[in-house]
Amino acid sequence: MQYFTPENINEARKWQATKDPANVTLEAVGRSIARIAASVAVVLSKDSTVGLPEAVRQASYPFARLAIPQDPLGEWTAVYMEKLTTLLTLPETLHPELFSSDLINVIIGGLALNAHTITLPKGGAGSGVYVLTANLNHNCSPTARVDMDGKTVDVAVKANRKIASGEEISLSYAPQGLSLAARRERLQKYGFSCVCKKCKDES
């Protein structure tokens, strides 16, 4: 990957193995920044009148539109930023824009709240953010579910039952079958307390 070499990815994995600050890895954040940097280059190549801040805004829009918690890594944000400056081979002009705490928090928060665990086609596990599923709200009695193609890691949203016209398409952010207390504990990381009909009936 441009800006984030295999050698640097392996270094990030070794570094991560000695630490456990959150469920968002240094590698995931590094890959995201590298992707944004590549998109910035595309934006600037298409329109030379666009300034760097605007190019970064356009390139990072897919993350900015996601729901994110406030200060998702706390003091670890600065640690991640410092380590990533040594791992990513970005043009110096991009450093002030891409190594800002605001953007790092947007990336980390977006990944923390919206990433799905995926089984990779060649084995192993990873995570991915899908715009379709990231825009669906939670319900403990969801009208839909996410099905994943293990060969392509594409996702599809499929109905659990007949959905009435005007009824919201929803997913469950917690595994089905959990008790009310267990669901509430699982949903804490998303920053809200569920007040769906199922939760009210069980309260």
Side-chain angles (χ1 to χ4, degrees), residues 126-142:
S127 61
V129 175
Y130 299 84
V131 173
L132 174 63
T133 58
N135 280 280
L136 297 179
N137 288 323
H138 164 82
N139 193 298
C140 294
S141 298

Side-chain angles (χ1 to χ4, degrees), residues 10 173 187:
N10 285 333
Y173 297 174
L187 294 173

Side-chain angles (χ1 to χ4, degrees), residues 36-53:
I36 292 172
S39 296
V40 167
V42 172
V43 171
L44 293 176
S45 69
K46 289 182 177 180
D47 187 350
S48 60
T49 66
V50 174
L52 183 56

Side-chain angles (χ1 to χ4, degrees), residues 24 95 100 149 166:
V24 179
H95 279 225
S100 71
D149 187 326

Side-chain angles (χ1 to χ4, degrees), residues 94-111:
L94 289 180
H95 279 225
E97 299 292 340
L98 297 188
F99 291 125
S100 71
S101 59
D102 287 344
L103 181 58
I104 298 294
N105 276 329
V106 165
I107 292 171
I108 293 170
L111 292 174

Side-chain angles (χ1 to χ4, degrees), residues 17 37 71 87 101 109 167 173 185:
D71 199 18
L87 293 177
S101 59
E167 185 179 6
Y173 297 174
E185 183 178 355

Side-chain angles (χ1 to χ4, degrees), residues 115-119 125-128 148:
H116 284 275
T117 300
I118 58 177
T119 301
S127 61
M148 182 166 294

